[in-house]
Amino acid sequence: MTSRNFEILYKEARLSLEPASQSSVVQLRVAPQSAYGRSNSARTSADDEKSYRHKNLATASSIFHRKHHNSPRSFLWRILENGTVLSLRAVDVSKRQHDVDAPLILNLHFPHTINHSCVGFGDPEDTDALCVFVVDQTNQLHSITLHPDQFRRKTATDGGLGDAYRVYSPPGFGFKHPHRLAVVSSDQLIVTMHDGGILKFDKNKTHDANQSPWRETIYNVAGWGQSLRGLVPFQRNPTVRFDKINMELTAAVSTAVATFGPNNTPFLFTICLDHRMRVWDVRTGQILYTGDILNAKQDPQEGLKWTIDPTQNNLIRILESGNGQCLVTTFSPLGNGEFKFWKVKANDQGSIHVADCFPGTQLVPPSPSSVDVWTLADFAVASESDGPELWTLWKNNTSYRVHRLQVQIRNSTLPFNDGWKTVYIENGVPTAETSGPWNATDSTEKWLELIFSPGRFSRATLETALAMYEKALGTYKETTSRVGKNIAESICSVLGSTASLGRNSAGSADYEQFRGTSETQWMRFWRLLLELDKQRGEALSLVYDPVDGMVWTACADLVAAVRQCSDLDRVYHNLQASEKKDEDVASLVSAGLTFVEGFADSTVQLTRAALRAEVYEESSYSDTQRMQQFLDRAGFWPTISDEDIAQVIDILGDNYQRVTLRLYEDLFDLITATSESNSQELREPFTGFGRKVVVRTVQDTVELHWKILLSQLILLVHMEFDFEGEDGSPLSSRLDTGSVYRRLIDALRRLEHLRWMTKTEISIPVTSGASSPSAPSAPKRAQDESRMTTVTALEGLAGHLFGLPENHDEPFLSSITDLVLDLCAPSSTTVLQTWLLQCWLLKHDRPDLALELNPFADQDPFSIYIQGRVFLAYKDYDAASICFRRAAIGLSIVMKHMDKHSAGLLDDTEWNLLNSGLPNYYNHIVNLFDKQMAYSYVMEFARLALQFVQTGAPDSASVKTEILSRLFTAATAISRFEEAHAALLAMQDEALQRSYLRMLVEKMCETGQNRELISLPFSGLQTTVDDILLEKCQVTRDVLNGVPYHQILYAWRISHNDYRGGAAVLLDRLQKLRIAGEGDKLGAEDALDTQVTRQYLLLINALNCVSSKEAWILEDVVSESQDDNEEHEQQQGAAERKQSPAAGRGSDDNNLEAASLGELMKKLGARSNDDGSNAAVDEDDKALLAKMKSFASRPVQEKVPRKLLTLAELRKQYQLELDRIVAIQNNQFAITADDDMMDIA
């Protein structure tokens, strides 16, 4: 394509119109079905290109700006799904401080196809509403009134449209065919007809339901009136066949309405098929002016030569200038196309005066290319101080271009001599880097990153491409549904099935063949995506916003905002024709880009890896060493050819003489925001749509700046070390390359941070207005996803920082550029507080993304602390511990005023522990590790906290107790019993100490740490330990299984030289073994070796260790009847507790102390006497009182009798036990009178 060289002064920011969340789309039916409320129809995925176009691409689209209300003010409308759906959404860029955003998309479903040229909108002066007027193919007029709340809250449309929707079948449409609709006001419409006449609709404001909602008035070219006799279509004049209708040459193809003049008279301007402009007085229906739109004289014999195609609908624009006049711009599509400017003025007599602003001067807009066929599809006119500004939209199939011309209205001889400027439109297809052995990651990740770049492809495009790809493979199934599934996983699954890992001739895995096959399949899928996505960018209209000064291009599934180029943008896009003042900077930029243009993909990846090391890591080397290290890591030196060096020398001169420090200063000035933008403090917030415009602009700016500055960094390093011979000298001998290198690294670090934020997507909750309860039948996953919206990290985390000056005078197309330039500048006034972003991500359970932000974090104490929280959430406890230690001093200093902002990550309790001393800080860290159950780190920081607890300080006792408690718990949990013992001894609270002592003893016994338990001193607590073990022995019934408390207590007492105490424990275990019948279980090898006999031996040995006078112990004497009674009482008590839960608070009712019973009886008796001697006592109190008395009346149970058991008696019992075993072994059984065997009768 041979393109004409237009100076590029503008760029566009393309925005995808795909809703970020399905919960933001409201489906409404405007037929009688609207009585049933919202429609539940959902968009289904297409499986071929035709259905994809019908379901997702608009056939008509534009933006309507309201004049009387501004919240919201601008609405994007699109016609979808074969002309049956009118989609509306608010597209305001900014809003007032306290206005509520309007994020909802309303899809109005019509019963019949919409007439694309008969869609209009009105803005009532007395009501904050949007009036929608639509004529469908059945010639019905639909009128809908929408209120701002319906674009903010779903609940506003729960009942459907209701009375806000009216449908009307105009009788006038029965004789005539509507062609264009023009809205004069919300109460007055005009429809141009096929015969050149117009049909005016005036709203009937009466509330009579039986009356017609509109009053019709018909006017025609031949005369005006309401007589139906003038409606008969005689076929005398030449006609043009269009859409099965013969249209008169006086029929209007393009219309515009303007209100001006002394009486604010509305006028209708029409461009007709006969190449004439007609001006109608809307009030009277009178034609006030008729003339050729080029002010040319038409030959009556060449009437068809001057005929305009009926499909043309953008041939006139009106710019109201006040003082009862306006500027009308017309375009003639005939021939090469030509513009004409008209000055129209209304007088008091009801007539108008139309004059050619530039008679005899032609304005033929040049097409973008001299070879291809380009069509001027639309244009807009803006009012500027120097005169009208003309914007044109050119189309060539799905490609388009936007040009701008500043009309010098004061220069009557050369009004169009300023020259056409153009808008840079990104048409380059992004390409994926080739894969090879040098890749650190799999090629699939590379393709996924390219395909799923934010805003690149819509989900519908991805699903359709995948379905078409599966059809080509023969694996597509029509019943397959991917609703709720991850589209990335589906793509990987389908494409991954096309490649298999085989073996080469040597028998080893053929990775090269696998990589090549995989790359081929991904490339095919990529090309299919591009072909589908190309259709989304077909331009449909060009719109100018007179309030914000924005120019918009509405496309089939995109909308593009035009903005002014920054200084660096202008230099980069006009390298071949740069301005005189920018020639040197342009040469430097061109040299850098040319130098790196020939780098192979492997070299580019190595260079980026070397740059990451420079950007992310702190270096202690000198500047020269850093540059040398970068050169060595990048490894691009061997790949540079003599031709590459020669190209750079041709641009920058021998020995790079044109490169100076002043030249680099000029380059840095291009990426630095102006002082005015840096001083802007008061800001007007952006809407959600406006933030997307900013984010998209940031994406484009960051990529461009990154590309230029990286090439400059590589070129600088090359020039520094590119010298030979004695005459050669490094570049640093002439300028401070070290400072330039540092500034480039700082700028690239800022850009790398923004790149991450523009490429990373996060899910955030939708606003309360856009969310609504999901259907009960919807899956939980679908409900959760409907409440979330996916945005870039820049929009979600830093979108609240975007805004404009409250009283800004500059148009938005330059204000947005200034804002983005300031955001991308190294010295930006917009501070991206990484710690706050990380707090938000941690709060929303995304530690993986928070970890990726660590390289951009500051090194102040709180930032380091937040990095520790990130590592902690990521389970990297070592790194977290290091960060917490580094931040300790800074976060322990007492501060009176703290900036308590953490996105909800820290609560008030945690904030109070910071900046209040080292003990509180370390105590806070202990709490954090304790929540993660990282007990070894709990112990580490608990010991640190104890070191700094000052005796006598306020709350020092409670702080120390809490820290000791956590230290003990952590040490016990990981079996660090020595530390737990030390913490236990340091506790001052006796109750807490005894409680933890029991926990420690039980834990050590349960984990088999008996030897360590006995070795611990337990200073002052030995008796308590003995009591705990004794209690455990008493409640133990099965002494062979479970924790061997008897053996532990025996060892404990023996180690403390309490041999008789140890013998008593052995005696208790002996009795329980005999009760369990262990004495009858004879040994396999030695029958006399049983559990009981072994226990006797241990008992005898224990008593042998004391003197003969002390070789005795006491034994409880319990008769068989007493055993039976106790067993019976236990069973009876269990039954009573089962029947009455209140009666079983303790292990037994007899455990109540007599003093407590007496006090309770006195209180109950006193309460009963307070009501009078004859008053009835509550039934519950009576029962409880009776039970108390029964307990009190019981006789005190006598102690169990005990007897003295000497060592000699124990030996005798042992001998008897041996004899019994021998008798059993010899089958010698004694027969007694009580034996059942005596009853042999």
Side-chain angles (χ1 to χ4, degrees), residues 221 250 260 267-272 274-282 284-298 316 328 330 340-346 350-357:
V221 178
T250 55
F260 59 95
F267 297 95
L268 174 67
F269 292 76
T270 62
I271 305 298
C272 303
D274 58 1
H275 203 261
R276 288 184 171 89
M277 177 175 65
R278 292 175 172 83
V279 184
W280 302 68
D281 188 334
V282 175
T284 62
Q286 181 181 3
I287 299 178
L288 304 179
Y289 172 81
T290 301
D292 186 84
I293 58 176
L294 293 180
N295 201 16
K297 295 182 180 180
Q298 298 185 14
I316 184 171
V328 178
T330 59
K340 181 62 72 173
F341 292 89
W342 308 86
K343 183 178 181 180
V344 181
K345 186 175 183 179
S351 61
I352 61 172
H353 175 71
V354 180
D356 186 355
C357 293

Side-chain angles (χ1 to χ4, degrees), residues 1065-1118:
V1065 176
L1066 295 177
L1067 180 61
D1068 182 64
R1069 187 171 188 269
L1070 174 63
Q1071 293 173 348
K1072 292 177 178 178
L1073 286 173
R1074 297 181 64 178
I1075 295 174
E1078 291 296 327
D1080 297 333
K1081 299 178 180 179
L1082 306 182
E1085 298 180 358
D1086 186 359
L1088 299 179
D1089 186 18
T1090 66
Q1091 290 284 354
V1092 174
T1093 58
R1094 288 196 296 269
Q1095 198 69 18
Y1096 267 115
L1097 290 175
L1098 290 173
L1099 181 57
I1100 293 171
N1101 289 336
L1103 289 179
N1104 275 328
C1105 294
V1106 298
S1107 62
S1108 58
K1109 294 181 179 180
E1110 296 180 357
W1112 55 269
I1113 55 177
L1114 295 176
E1115 179 184 16
D1116 295 338
V1117 179
V1118 182

Side-chain angles (χ1 to χ4, degrees), residues 982-999:
L984 184 69
L985 296 180
M987 292 181 183
Q988 302 297 324
D989 190 335
E990 294 184 1
L992 183 64
Q993 187 184 49
R994 290 182 180 274
S995 174
Y996 281 152
L997 176 60
R998 178 178 294 275
M999 182 190 305

Side-chain angles (χ1 to χ4, degrees), residues 602-619:
S602 58
T603 305
V604 172
Q605 293 185 26
L606 289 174
T607 304
R608 290 178 179 175
L611 178 63
R612 284 194 293 269
E614 284 292 308
V615 170
Y616 295 156
E617 300 174 4
E618 294 291 335
S619 178

Side-chain angles (χ1 to χ4, degrees), residues 138-140 168-178 191-195 197-201 212 214-219 226 228 231-232:
T138 62
N139 291 341
Q140 286 187 316
Y168 176 60
S169 299
F173 288 171
F175 300 92
K176 297 175 180 287
H177 299 282
V191 177
T192 64
M193 315 305 290
H194 76 289
D195 61 350
I198 63 174
L199 183 58
K200 184 174 72 170
F201 293 88
S212 172
W214 296 96
R215 185 176 67 255
E216 301 178 42
T217 306
I218 301 175
Y219 305 102
Q226 302 181 17
L228 295 178
L231 301 179
V232 180

